[in-house]
Amino acid sequence: MTTPLVRVSGLTKTFGDTAVLKGVDFEAAAGTSTVLLGPSGSGKTTVLRSLDTLEIPDAGVVGIGDVEVDFGTLPAQGRDREARLRALRAQSGIVFQQHHLFPHKTALENIIEGPLVAQRRPRDEVVAEGRALLAQVGLEDREDSYPSQLSGGQQQRVGIARALAIKPRVVLFDEPTSALDPELVGEVLAVIKDLATQGWTTLIVTHEIRFAEQVADQVLFLDGGVVVEHGPPAQVIGDPQQERTRTFLRRVLHPGA
Amino acid sequence: MRRLLVRSLAAVVVALAVTAGLGAASPASAADEPVVVVGTEGTYPPFTFHDPDTDDLTGYDIEVVKAVAKEAGWRLTFVESSFDSLFVALDSQRIDVIANQISINPEREAKYGLSTPYTYSRGVIVTPSDVDDITTLKDIKGLRAAQSTTSNWAGVAKEAGAKIEAVDGLSQAAKVLEQGRADVIVNDNIAILDYLATSGTKKIKIAGEAEGQQTQQALMFRKADSQLKEQADAALQTLRDDGTLKRISEDYFKADVSIEDGGEAQAEGRAGRSALDVVKDQAWPVLKALVKVTIPLTAISFVVGLALALGVALARISPRRLLSVPAGVFISIVRGTPLLLQLAIVFYGLPEIGLNFDRYVAAVLAFSINIAGYAAEIIRSAILAVPKGQTEAARTIGLDYRQTLRRVVLPQALRTAVPPLSNSLLSLVKDTSLASTILVVEAFRVTLNAANESTEYLALLILLGFYYWVVCWILSIGQRRLETRLDRYV
């Protein structure tokens, strides 16, 4: 049996007096899509941000591919700590809820910034790759546009291309459509669905239940800082075993009911 | 982070070295002749003033010290400054000798090295023309006397019970008296005669003798420089013997003031000119000072200040207290003390602990430190105004701290920082006029000298104001262009 690409165990995190993660465990195989569901405050975004070291968990282990970091034994400061975090960070690319594109750079410049500056790869090579990525997200004619000249959906698609450009093992999506006007949601979800079919490994935090059903190989339902239920969408969404999962799905699928 | 700090510091050092080069514009010294720096007002005719036609520094004291230098084998450099600043400048080794009608008195003899006298003169009391009841020193008790505070004549007036109104020189004192802001002036007979003749004023008059104030004037050195003083004494003796002193004196006063009872001195004054002529004459020298001193001083100080400010701002934001606390203290001190005080500390104070900077370097240092204090807060808040998501996005695509700062944060912070930084720059353009207090001959000092010399204050000060305004106007156009450029992607 092969080792799963993504391995998370015993993840805990406290903000002030609030324990946000109380021991999160899960795994995700290469080439699969994992959707994290849960009410706000359940810790799903914190899990995602921990994988990209935007949050540093208090304890627990995160492994992606060959890189594994045990946050419980991570030094509080120093070169060793930075080197380990940098190695883990390089394994994933993240797409933010608010795209966080660099406003002073064009679409193409946003995309090639990572490979060009951080990875120090040759310019013509990364420009060619960047153009290919723009084509992949359907924006081949907008490479010279600044983010302010793009619609919300287009901005988010550039954000996806930027995350892919550093060639991560895993692509993380933090509520990628929550900030979009409803009519723009479809184009972004279509791009994410494409990635899943092309063999990218994705972890997606979303409230789009129908989308989760279509794209997910695995659904994690989080509540109160732990994974309450996990399994294929047909099971977790179609036939939830836990009362908390059922309550959540009822609220999301029938708001106002 | 540390490398950025090191780079900022390196930039500062280079800039200081460059300004040191600028400041060292004084003539390169021949190896064998010592360079002696002469301090003088340049605004006290007929002793030390600028020839209205050639703008060259001249006057009785200037010609005497030049003759002494020729005898003694010195190379001279002249530094012009207000009378009060001359004493501090001598103490802090900015200058080596004062040639400015320094009267010999016991206090000065105790503290300084005074040459043998080259002027014998007497004091007079000056009042408004319509005042008749002041004729002796006894009458000035309780009155307001306009004087340079460190001058011997201020001591005489104070002794007589007058209250001292501090001014920068004789022509300012005369203005203040004419305007009714003071009641009396006690000064040298010849200087007053010269002022009356030059200005043609009928508003003030010599009201009487400052009795018992027959004084002698000498070159003043530091006590420790006894060799210079001895050389000067020997040279003065030669010049007295060969009639040179007599000739110089008669050129200026039609009498020999270098000996006792050498005849009654007269002053012809210089031809009075209209305000328009004065402004025409001074338009170019003032502009030259603005372009050659004020603007470079501003530009270099601003660039050095910004480099420092970036380092201070980053230190201030740093989570390490070892960096953030000192940065906070620095900002607090700079913003909590007057710029004038900072200049004075760097130029007059630091030499006492062995840090003796050239005046231009001292000015750049003080101005950059001041700019750094204010700009650090502007840069800090501009950096903090960049959304946190920008830094996060930069980190997740692998940029390190410096790359994130340089490529993502600072370009965006710049847009926020440009308007307040432009304000700082505009303030600095005008604040450089304070450098006139530390012997830097910039546009304000040049204008003030010309005004003291011609007594045309209003016209010349308006001229200078106009120049400053034009510079600031051009800068604000630049600011608008820059903002438009930075707005292109917003």
Side-chain angles (χ1 to χ4, degrees):
Chain A
M1 185 186 148
T2 52
T3 321
L5 181 67
V6 180
R7 305 166 308 273
V8 173
S9 65
L11 222 52
T12 63
K13 175 71 178 175
T14 306
F15 289 115
D17 294 335
T18 316
V20 179
L21 301 183
K22 296 177 186 165
V24 170
D25 309 87
F26 71 90
E27 291 176 339
T32 63
S33 289
T34 300
V35 169
L36 287 75
L37 295 179
S40 64
S42 60
K44 54 195 190 303
T45 289
T46 306
V47 170
L48 209 65
R49 288 168 60 83
S50 297
L51 296 188
D52 213 353
T53 73
L54 291 174
E55 306 292 352
I56 306 299
D58 301 332
V61 179
V62 170
I64 302 177
D66 306 330
V67 180
E68 196 160 282
V69 173
D70 183 346
F71 290 98
T73 61
L74 190 69
Q77 53 193 8
R79 276 167 201 273
D80 183 39
R81 170 192 169 95
E82 290 309 316
R84 288 204 223 173
L85 291 178
R86 195 161 52 240
L88 180 60
R89 194 180 302 143
Q91 304 303 309
S92 60
I94 191 165
V95 177
F96 298 92
Q97 182 178 351
Q98 318 272 353
H99 57 84
H100 294 330
L101 293 178
F102 307 128
H104 57 300
K105 293 182 186 294
T106 63
L108 184 63
E109 287 168 352
N110 262 280
I111 293 167
I112 65 173
E113 183 72 9
L116 186 70
V117 177
Q119 300 175 350
R120 298 176 199 284
R121 292 173 48 205
R123 174 173 279 272
D124 34 346
E125 192 179 309
V126 300
V127 166
E129 281 180 15
R131 292 205 170 112
L133 284 168
L134 272 172
Q136 186 180 343
V137 298
L139 292 172
E140 55 270 48
D141 53 344
R142 302 307 300 266
E143 67 173 62
D144 292 327
S145 302
Y146 286 98
S148 59
Q149 298 165 330
L150 299 172
S151 73
Q154 292 171 330
Q155 290 169 343
Q156 199 55 297
R157 281 143 69 193
V158 175
I160 293 170
R162 180 175 68 178
L164 299 179
I166 60 168
K167 300 188 175 173
R169 304 291 300 272
V170 185
V171 189
L172 311 171
F173 293 88
D174 184 11
E175 303 198 25
T177 58
S178 299
L180 295 179
D181 289 339
E183 75 271 21
L184 301 177
V185 169
E187 61 187 78
V188 175
L189 292 184
V191 170
I192 300 173
K193 209 183 288 180
D194 274 353
L195 296 183
T197 58
Q198 287 162 13
W200 286 92
T201 308
T202 57
L203 260 66
I204 307 164
V205 170
T206 185
H207 291 297
E208 303 285 338
I209 306 295
R210 292 296 158 233
F211 170 74
E213 280 182 320
Q214 293 166 29
V215 76
D217 297 298
Q218 171 184 223
V219 173
L220 306 176
F221 177 73
L222 279 85
D223 193 12
V226 292
V227 177
V228 174
E229 193 165 354
H230 69 100
Q235 180 196 319
V236 180
I237 299 173
D239 182 21
Q241 303 301 301
Q242 301 290 327
E243 180 52 37
R244 282 196 278 180
T245 316
R246 283 197 289 270
T247 311
F248 170 75
L249 288 172
R250 227 176 8 251
R251 281 201 201 119
V252 175
L253 292 172
H254 309 286
Chain B
M1 171 78 214
R2 199 171 305 144
R3 278 172 65 185
L4 250 175
L5 276 176
V6 169
R7 282 195 184 181
S8 312
L9 282 176
V12 171
V13 169
V14 168
L16 286 179
V18 169
T19 28
L22 270 183
S26 46
S29 55
D32 49 339
E33 295 190 331
V35 173
V36 174
V37 184
V38 183
T40 190
E41 281 181 286
T43 58
Y44 189 49
F47 305 110
T48 158
F49 65 102
H50 287 265
D51 185 308
D53 295 327
T54 63
D55 203 40
D56 291 335
L57 183 65
T58 183
Y60 176 65
D61 288 50
I62 303 303
E63 300 313 319
V64 168
V65 79
K66 278 182 181 168
V68 166
K70 205 169 161 196
E71 282 300 320
W74 302 339
R75 294 171 65 87
L76 292 187
T77 307
F78 288 94
V79 170
E80 291 172 55
S81 156
S82 71
F83 188 81
D84 296 331
S85 301
L86 291 176
F87 285 73
V88 201
L90 185 65
D91 293 342
S92 56
Q93 310 193 11
R94 301 291 174 190
I95 58 177
D96 302 310
V97 57
I98 302 178
N100 206 96
Q101 288 293 298
I102 298 295
S103 297
I104 299 173
N105 65 25
E107 294 80 36
R108 287 177 185 162
E109 279 191 308
K111 190 171 173 201
Y112 296 99
L114 292 163
S115 72
T116 53
Y118 60 91
T119 320
Y120 289 80
S121 71
R122 57 180 212 273
V124 290
I125 300 166
V126 183
T127 66
S129 301
D130 53 2
V131 173
D132 293 325
D133 53 353
I134 301 169
T135 53
T136 69
L137 281 177
K138 279 196 240 29
D139 301 329
I140 74 169
K141 187 170 184 186
L143 298 182
R144 297 168 298 168
Q147 308 288 154
S148 297
T149 50
T150 44
S151 116
N152 186 56
W153 301 118
V156 172
K158 206 170 173 184
E159 187 93 340
K163 286 190 304 237
I164 305 299
E165 299 283 347
V167 294
D168 255 350
L170 176 58
S171 64
Q172 272 188 27
K175 279 282 168 195
V176 166
L177 185 63
E178 288 173 13
Q179 292 158 356
R181 292 174 178 159
D183 306 309
V184 68
I185 300 172
V186 180
N187 210 303
D188 177 88
N189 178 43
I190 301 168
I192 296 296
L193 287 174
D194 183 87
Y195 178 81
L196 294 177
T198 299
S199 67
T201 182
K202 301 279 179 252
K203 292 180 187 161
I204 59 176
K205 63 172 184 189
I206 293 180
E209 299 275 326
E211 64 276 15
Q213 294 302 327
Q214 281 68 38
T215 60
Q216 303 166 11
Q217 281 78 32
L219 295 173
M220 188 163 98
F221 303 87
R222 274 181 300 279
K223 196 87 177 173
D225 281 345
S226 55
Q227 197 191 347
L228 284 182
K229 176 192 131 47
E230 280 156 23
Q231 289 171 353
D233 283 344
L236 281 169
Q237 192 54 51
T238 310
L239 297 170
R240 226 173 266 126
D241 293 345
D242 69 8
T244 307
L245 275 188
K246 181 170 194 266
R247 209 182 58 243
I248 297 174
S249 173
E250 287 179 343
D251 268 0
Y252 283 96
F253 312 119
K254 307 236 178 327
D256 187 0
V257 301
S258 69
I259 54 168
E260 261 185 299
D261 305 321
E264 187 64 25
Q266 298 169 28
E268 293 178 329
R270 286 154 306 288
R273 288 167 308 146
S274 71
L276 191 64
D277 283 341
V278 171
V279 167
K280 273 189 200 157
D281 281 356
Q282 293 301 324
W284 175 240
V286 173
L287 182 62
K288 214 163 61 180
L290 193 79
V291 171
K292 284 179 72 176
V293 182
T294 298
I295 290 175
L297 188 58
T298 305
I300 295 171
S301 303
F302 193 66
V303 170
V304 175
L306 280 190
L308 275 175
L310 180 59
V312 174
L314 294 177
R316 184 88 187 93
I317 297 170
S318 166
R320 294 186 210 170
R321 289 179 57 79
L322 207 63
L323 293 173
S324 68
V325 171
V329 170
F330 171 81
I331 291 169
S332 176
I333 290 174
V334 167
R335 301 204 304 174
T337 55
L339 175 53
L340 192 53
L341 177 89
Q342 293 162 11
L343 275 166
I345 286 178
V346 171
F347 189 67
Y348 294 118
L350 291 187
E352 287 178 16
I353 55 168
L355 291 168
N356 204 334
F357 300 106
D358 172 86
R359 53 195 146 142
Y360 293 97
V361 177
V364 166
L365 200 63
F367 288 129
S368 341
I369 287 173
N370 191 264
I371 282 290
Y374 284 92
E377 283 296 272
I378 294 171
I379 294 173
R380 180 182 71 94
S381 57
I383 288 176
L384 294 181
V386 175
K388 191 164 163 254
Q390 291 290 310
T391 319
E392 290 191 345
R395 287 186 57 187
T396 59
I397 60 169
L399 301 191
D400 61 24
Y401 175 86
R402 285 186 54 233
Q403 292 166 334
T404 303
L405 196 64
R406 205 179 68 238
R407 302 188 55 92
V408 176
V409 176
L410 289 182
Q412 296 182 59
L414 190 62
R415 178 61 192 86
T416 324
V418 161
L421 286 180
S422 302
N423 269 345
S424 300
L425 177 59
L426 292 188
S427 297
L428 181 61
V429 171
K430 295 164 287 178
D431 286 347
T432 54
S433 58
L434 292 173
S436 61
T437 60
I438 59 165
L439 313 188
V440 173
V441 186
E442 42 62 70
F444 182 73
R445 171 56 63 194
V446 169
T447 307
L448 203 59
N449 284 356
N452 284 336
E453 159 68 25
S454 65
T455 76
E456 292 292 348
Y457 287 90
L458 185 60
L460 286 173
L461 293 176
I462 287 174
L463 170 75
L464 178 62
F466 173 73
Y467 281 152
Y468 276 123
W469 176 82
V470 169
V471 171
C472 291
W473 178 69
I474 292 170
L475 286 176
S476 57
I477 290 176
Q479 175 192 351
R480 242 168 302 159
R481 293 224 172 142
L482 185 59
E483 283 178 25
T484 312
R485 223 179 99 76
L486 293 172
D487 274 342
R488 71 190 187 280
Y489 52 76
V490 175

